Amino acid sequence: MCIETANPYFIVRVRIDLAFILLIKTETKGGVMPIQDLCQKNLISVERGASLQYAAQLMKKHHVGGIVVIEADGVKKPLGVLTDRDIVLAVVAENRSLSTPISEIMSKDIVTVTKGSGIASAIDQMEQKGVRRIIVIDEAGDACGLVSSDDILQLLAREMYGLGKLVEKQVANEPSYKTNKKEISLLL
């Protein structure tokens, strides 16, 4: 994708390459920002037998739109994902009870990525599987995080803002820009 910005003093053509943006502010070796740097550090999970109401209360308490479903407390092997949308569709559209166990409506086809994987890799998997959330797992296969497309979009927005500021500073430092700015102020 290409963005073109016109200004009387300059024209900037910026090629926005997703992989480039995601690599800008990395502090790891190898130039890849690992997905673990983006996911929430405190995994919000719920046991498969919990009710829809309990899960909704948990989401509200932690301000999240999705939670990882696990077998039992202490064992973090992911069994599924439950989203606020899943709850709305089950309760409102299908007229299910709030006491329905989440195992009946959770998404069982989970998509996972290891915590050391790059963000671009996670995005590729999310796109291929058609999901908006991906479970981050550790070496043992235990869930250690959950990343949503919203989390990635927020990262991209911050990176785009930084690129925009860089362009502004670069132009402001150009001698022709400084000269033209002085000439304009003299005319006023």
Side-chain angles (χ1 to χ4, degrees), residues 7 9 42 44-45 48-49 53 64 73 92 102 108 119 123-124 127 130 135 137 155 157 161 171-172 181-182:
N7 182 300
Y9 310 113
N42 186 17
I44 309 303
S45 60
R48 69 182 309 158
Q53 183 172 18
V64 295
D73 195 29
V92 178
I102 60 174
K108 294 177 180 96
I119 293 174
I123 293 170
D124 287 343
E127 182 181 8
I135 300 172
I137 58 171
L155 170 66
Y161 177 78
V171 171
K181 191 174 178 183
K182 287 179 185 176

Side-chain angles (χ1 to χ4, degrees), residues 30-180:
V32 175
M33 181 177 182
I35 195 73
Q36 71 182 4
D37 288 356
L38 184 60
C39 69
Q40 299 171 357
K41 303 301 180 212
N42 186 17
L43 176 68
I44 309 303
S45 60
V46 64
E47 293 181 14
R48 69 182 309 158
S51 69
L52 294 178
Q53 183 172 18
Y54 176 76
Q57 290 168 343
L58 196 59
M59 288 181 195
K60 179 181 178 183
K61 177 181 177 182
H62 294 282
H63 309 285
V64 295
I67 51 179
V68 177
V69 181
I70 57 173
E71 184 65 47
D73 195 29
V75 179
K76 298 289 186 181
K77 297 286 184 216
L79 301 175
V81 173
L82 182 72
T83 67
D84 48 6
R85 185 173 192 273
D86 294 333
I87 295 172
V88 168
L89 292 177
V91 174
V92 178
E94 297 175 10
N95 200 29
R96 292 195 187 210
S97 166
L98 288 173
S99 62
T100 302
I102 60 174
S103 59
E104 291 184 20
I105 68 158
M106 69 181 187
S107 300
K108 294 177 180 96
D109 295 328
I110 60 171
V111 182
T112 63
V113 64
T114 58
K115 66 182 183 177
S117 297
I119 293 174
S121 172
I123 293 170
D124 287 343
Q125 286 190 46
M126 293 167 76
E127 182 181 8
Q128 288 171 3
K129 302 291 184 176
V131 297
R132 293 184 54 216
R133 290 175 177 83
I134 191 165
I135 300 172
V136 181
I137 58 171
D138 62 18
E139 299 79 16
D142 292 338
C144 59
L146 184 67
V147 173
S148 72
S149 55
D150 291 352
D151 298 329
I152 296 169
L153 284 171
Q154 288 175 348
L155 170 66
L156 290 173
R158 287 190 303 269
E159 297 299 332
M160 291 299 298
Y161 177 78
L163 283 173
K165 288 303 207 182
L166 173 67
V167 169
E168 283 179 9
K169 286 180 180 180
Q170 180 185 10
V171 171
N173 289 331
E174 291 178 5
S176 62
Y177 179 79
K178 291 177 181 177
T179 303
N180 289 334

Side-chain angles (χ1 to χ4, degrees), residues 18-38:
L18 181 62
F20 173 73
I21 292 170
L22 295 175
L23 297 177
I24 291 173
K25 292 184 179 174
T26 180
E27 296 178 7
T28 62
K29 294 180 181 175
V32 175
M33 181 177 182
I35 195 73
Q36 71 182 4
D37 288 356
L38 184 60

